Amino acid sequence: TPDLIVGLLGILKAGGAYLPMDPNYPEERLKFMLEDSQANILLAETETINELPQFLGRTILIDKDWTEIDSANTPPIQYRHNNMSDALAYTIFTSGSTGKPKGVKITHRNVVNFLITMQKEPGIRSTDVLMAVTTLSFDIAVLELFLPLVSGATVALADVDMSRDGRRLANGLKRMNVSIMQATPATWQMLLAAGWQPAEGFKMLSGGEPLPQNLAQTLLSDSTELWNMYGPTETTIWSSVSKVTNPKLIDIGKPIGNTQMYILDKHLNPVPIGVTGELWIAGDGVSKGYLNRSRLTSERFVHNPFVNKLGAKMYYTGDLAKYLPDGTIVCLGRVDFQVKVRGFRIELGEIEATLAEHASVREAVVTAVDLGNDDKRLIAYILLEQGVKVLETAVMRRFLQSKLPAYMIPSNFVIQDQFPLMPNGKLDRRTLQNPLNGVIDTADYVPPNSSTEQKIAEIWADFLKIEKVGIHSDFFELGGHSLLATQIISKIRDNYAINLTLADFFDSPNIADLAKQVDAVNWQIKVQTAPLQPFEGEAEEFEF
């Protein structure tokens, strides 16, 4: 909402740093973030304050406390430019492999360098309208909110419902004459599934996870611009950009202004062109490191041996990459077990550590299964404690929901007798069974009873990549998410004359309820459009 931007600008103007907290996150995670950051002011709204953990500092309600705010006698702020550039602008928490999220400290210097270079490439004009669709807890929101404001352009704000509903978002883009939008590939897929087509001159920025070739080919036309954006949170949002001209070759381009990218071997020596190495990033985008994690900071942020500058650091991304002959860089995936699912960076170790906290779990392994079309699912494999025979999926899901954000909760839980090992004794992740190839929830399986239920069940099974779905099974417990929901809604619309919305789907996330909605609408249509039949036969008289 506009109040969000008012709050952010107020914090920055006062010389403070902000910490975004999504009220949809589990209370335990929010409590950790407040304690770890030692925040002394909580800025919230009346609607969300009760969803946040107890806070001992000062609380300001931006929708309620305006009388007190207006009466404050605050003198003009005296900026000390030499000091402000290295002061924190924001701290944002990302997934951590130790089981706890870690805060990344971003300075004004980091943000200003980023925004100034983004003004040039991919570029923005004062006449542009940029649609902001990303939660503030995802660092790419910084571009969406601040780049238009520092460029004299316009920010169009999408609310939560619009950002999750492809049809509503497509209508919003058209209604507000949006000319630029930044989104993850998952959101672009959602828009296309809803029938959206980019207008002439529309500029699309895609980042957060690899841009699939088939998606790039669909989005790109002679009258549109498509940019592939790359960068970790630790080096301030995007560190390189690439204008996509050939969808069959997706690279991450070259470093943005005042940024250096090195592809090195294990001994920190540069590798030749075309040889795969590990990607390091240096320059004005490199953050101050992790909040209260000095050891982890020293491991990931090391002295930059390639420049003669005191205190210069470079950051280890954990990504594999190689140079093309023209100097552009191709990203080749992760070195470790960090993954990206629908744009969110996830340390699989954090989920594994959280699962291990459950009294019935002896050990847990989590993997990400790629089903194509930018659809990744998290799968948890569990060894039970001795004496535990059964562990219900619903129980595990509720346990994780109290500790992790929704995007970090696995779609499926597979109980293992033992984990497969390689000859060296290490876990062989490649041979773990993929449960998405089989039947799910067979114990509670109730088959379709009508043709409508049968058709919707077939649609679900196709998109969820499972053999069959019971009519009472919960879509989201089967691994569904908002992008898949949007695609299923579009498919149902293709088969039935019903204006089903994403909100309807969230209210009725099972086949039985959806079929009732479809049948009710179809019955009304049949009654309204039934043609009059000519009378045939002999008339009969009736007394009333």
Side-chain angles (χ1 to χ4, degrees), residues 33-300:
M33 290 162 64
L34 280 174
E35 292 174 351
D36 194 46
S37 66
Q38 298 181 354
N40 51 13
I41 297 175
L42 178 61
L43 184 64
E45 292 178 305
T46 307
E47 185 180 348
T48 57
I49 190 63
N50 293 329
E51 300 173 30
L52 299 172
Q54 185 179 9
F55 180 65
L56 300 178
R58 185 184 180 192
T59 298
I60 299 173
L61 299 177
I62 198 169
D63 60 333
K64 186 178 179 182
D65 295 339
W66 277 107
T67 302
E68 181 183 356
I69 295 169
D70 289 338
S71 64
N73 183 20
T74 307
I77 295 170
Q78 299 298 318
Y79 290 104
R80 298 188 299 276
H81 294 284
N82 292 335
N83 296 329
M84 281 298 293
S85 61
D86 288 320
L88 290 188
Y90 64 86
T91 294
I92 194 163
F93 278 78
T94 67
S95 180
S97 58
T98 61
K100 295 290 184 183
K102 54 185 184 289
V104 181
K105 302 184 291 185
I106 303 294
T107 68
H108 284 265
R109 181 193 305 276
N110 299 149
V111 178
V112 169
N113 182 74
F114 168 73
L115 293 176
I116 288 176
T117 54
M118 289 297 104
Q119 285 179 318
K120 300 172 184 176
E121 275 193 337
I124 188 170
R125 304 161 300 182
S126 61
T127 54
D128 279 322
V129 178
L130 190 151
M131 176 71 87
V133 297
T134 306
T135 168
L136 193 64
S137 294
F138 194 177
D139 66 339
I140 69 175
V142 171
L143 179 146
E144 297 174 12
L145 297 180
F146 296 131
L147 181 59
L149 295 181
V150 300
S151 307
T154 302
V155 183
L157 297 175
D159 61 24
V160 175
D161 291 337
M162 181 187 290
S163 65
R164 292 177 178 174
D165 189 322
R167 209 170 191 183
R168 290 187 60 186
L169 183 56
N171 291 335
L173 291 172
K174 184 177 181 179
R175 186 176 70 254
M176 291 184 262
N177 295 316
V178 174
S179 55
I180 302 179
M181 194 175 89
Q182 170 190 256
T184 63
T187 298
W188 292 119
Q189 293 274 22
M190 180 182 74
L191 272 170
L192 292 173
W196 173 79
Q197 292 294 326
E200 186 175 350
F202 195 85
K203 184 177 291 187
M204 297 163 286
L205 316 182
S206 181
E209 53 193 343
L211 175 62
Q213 291 182 0
N214 59 346
L215 176 60
Q217 195 150 6
T218 305
L219 289 173
L220 196 61
S221 70
D222 293 337
S223 63
T224 61
E225 269 187 44
L226 176 61
W227 292 75
N228 190 33
M229 323 289 279
Y230 168 84
T233 300
E234 288 83 350
T235 59
T236 315
I237 309 157
W238 306 134
S239 298
S240 67
V241 299
S242 173
K243 187 175 182 180
V244 180
T245 55
N246 179 7
K248 294 183 179 179
L249 178 60
I250 306 293
D251 57 61
I252 61 172
K254 297 179 180 180
I256 67 171
N258 302 309
T259 300
Q260 300 83 46
M261 301 177 85
Y262 309 108
I263 303 178
L264 311 176
D265 63 19
K266 295 286 186 182
H267 305 290
L268 300 188
N269 296 313
V271 300
I273 291 173
V275 175
T276 299
E278 297 178 352
L279 186 60
W280 294 73
I281 301 177
D284 285 352
V286 176
S287 73
K288 280 191 168 184
Y290 299 115
L291 188 67
N292 304 324
R293 304 284 182 89
S294 56
R295 182 176 176 180
L296 183 61
T297 298
S298 63
E299 290 174 358
R300 302 300 289 260

Side-chain angles (χ1 to χ4, degrees), residues 95-99 337 346-354 366:
S95 180
S97 58
T98 61
F337 297 121
I346 297 172
E347 294 277 6
L348 297 178
E350 180 175 1
I351 307 174
E352 293 170 351
T354 305
V366 179

